[in-house]
Amino acid sequence: MAKLTKDELLSQFEEMTLIELAEFVSAFEEKFDVTAAAAAPVVMAGGAAGGAEAAQEEEKDEFDVILTGAGDKKIQVIKVVRELTSLGLKEAKDLVDGTPKPVLEKATKEAADKAAEALKAAGASVEVK
């Protein structure tokens, strides 16, 4: 059997699905009695090529809170917007009037959830992305 070069091996790995690559890593571990720590970068590279979007969703740590509607209690929503941001009265009112608009951008999951709950309690409709 002819010996494969590194480039030939890499091109073969590129063609594999993530499941096939994981099976290969398991077989490699068994054959050579090693752990996945050395092979993990290969699996991660395959995952990045095959499912980068799914990995990005799992690791998302920044969220945007989008105000989609003020509801019936517009004044209460403006007050909450002012509490969540450093906007003045006019700027907060303009934000609420111009929905859909982001209230918070690149916030942590906890901060985004807290802001969304406060806005919903005031009667607004909110999206967290």
Side-chain angles (χ1 to χ4, degrees):
M1 182 172 177
K3 186 175 180 180
L4 296 175
T5 66
K6 289 179 190 176
D7 290 333
E8 291 170 330
L9 280 171
L10 289 174
S11 70
Q12 290 298 314
F13 288 135
E14 286 177 341
E15 295 175 13
M16 297 175 95
T17 65
L18 188 56
I19 293 171
E20 292 171 333
L21 195 55
E23 290 171 353
F24 169 77
V25 170
S26 295
F28 187 89
E29 288 175 336
E30 289 176 25
K31 172 84 174 170
F32 296 105
D33 194 29
V34 295
T35 63
V42 174
V43 173
M44 293 305 291
E53 190 174 347
Q56 186 179 15
E57 285 296 318
E58 291 175 1
E59 297 177 16
K60 188 172 182 178
D61 60 351
E62 293 180 341
F63 297 87
D64 296 340
V65 178
I66 313 288
L67 180 66
T68 57
D72 295 334
K73 301 178 182 177
K74 187 173 166 183
I75 295 172
Q76 295 298 335
V77 174
I78 292 170
K79 287 180 182 180
V80 172
V81 168
R82 290 193 66 203
E83 290 172 9
L84 295 172
T85 64
S86 59
L87 297 176
L89 182 60
K90 181 179 180 348
E91 292 84 5
K93 182 183 179 304
D94 291 344
L95 188 145
V96 171
D97 287 340
T99 57
K101 292 271 187 164
V103 176
L104 292 178
E105 294 177 322
K106 297 183 181 181
T108 64
K109 176 76 172 153
E110 295 80 25
D113 288 341
K114 191 175 180 180
E117 288 302 316
L119 287 164
K120 286 178 185 176
S125 53
V126 180
E127 254 183 52
V128 178
K129 292 184 179 185

Coordinates of all heavy atoms in Angstrom, one line a residue, residues 2 7 40 50 60 70 83 97 105-106 118:
A2 N 0.5 2.2 -0.8 CA 1.3 3.4 -0.9 C 1.1 4.3 0.3 O 0.0 4.4 0.8 CB 0.9 4.2 -2.2
D7 N -1.0 16.1 3.0 CA -2.0 16.8 2.2 C -3.1 15.9 1.7 O -4.3 16.2 1.6 CB -1.4 17.5 1.0 CG -0.5 18.7 1.4 OD1 -0.8 19.3 2.5 OD2 0.4 19.1 0.7
A40 N -8.4 15.7 19.2 CA -9.5 16.7 19.3 C -9.4 17.8 18.3 O -10.4 18.2 17.7 CB -9.6 17.2 20.7
G50 N -17.9 21.5 8.8 CA -19.2 21.0 8.5 C -20.3 21.6 9.2 O -21.4 21.6 8.7
K60 N -23.0 30.9 21.7 CA -23.3 32.4 21.6 C -23.4 32.9 23.1 O -24.0 32.3 23.9 CB -24.7 32.5 21.0 CG -25.1 33.9 20.7 CD -26.4 34.0 19.9 CE -26.7 35.4 19.6 NZ -27.9 35.6 18.8
A70 N -44.6 48.6 21.7 CA -44.7 49.2 23.0 C -45.9 48.8 23.8 O -46.0 48.9 25.0 CB -44.8 50.7 22.8
E83 N -34.4 53.1 32.2 CA -33.7 52.4 33.3 C -32.6 51.5 32.7 O -31.5 51.4 33.3 CB -34.7 51.6 34.1 CG -35.6 52.5 35.0 CD -36.7 51.6 35.6 OE1 -36.6 50.4 35.6 OE2 -37.6 52.2 36.2
D97 N -41.0 54.7 20.0 CA -41.9 55.1 18.8 C -41.4 54.4 17.5 O -42.2 54.1 16.6 CB -42.0 56.6 18.6 CG -42.8 57.3 19.7 OD1 -43.6 56.6 20.3 OD2 -42.6 58.5 19.9
E105 N -27.6 45.8 23.1 CA -26.9 45.0 22.1 C -25.7 44.4 22.7 O -25.0 45.0 23.6 CB -26.4 45.9 20.9 CG -27.6 46.4 20.1 CD -27.2 47.4 19.0 OE1 -26.2 48.2 19.2 OE2 -27.8 47.3 17.9
K106 N -25.4 43.2 22.3 CA -24.2 42.4 22.8 C -24.2 42.3 24.4 O -23.2 42.5 25.0 CB -22.9 43.1 22.3 CG -22.8 43.0 20.8 CD -21.5 43.5 20.4 CE -21.4 43.5 18.9 NZ -20.1 44.0 18.3
A118 N -38.3 42.7 32.2 CA -38.7 44.1 32.6 C -39.5 44.7 31.6 O -40.6 45.4 31.9 CB -37.5 44.9 33.0

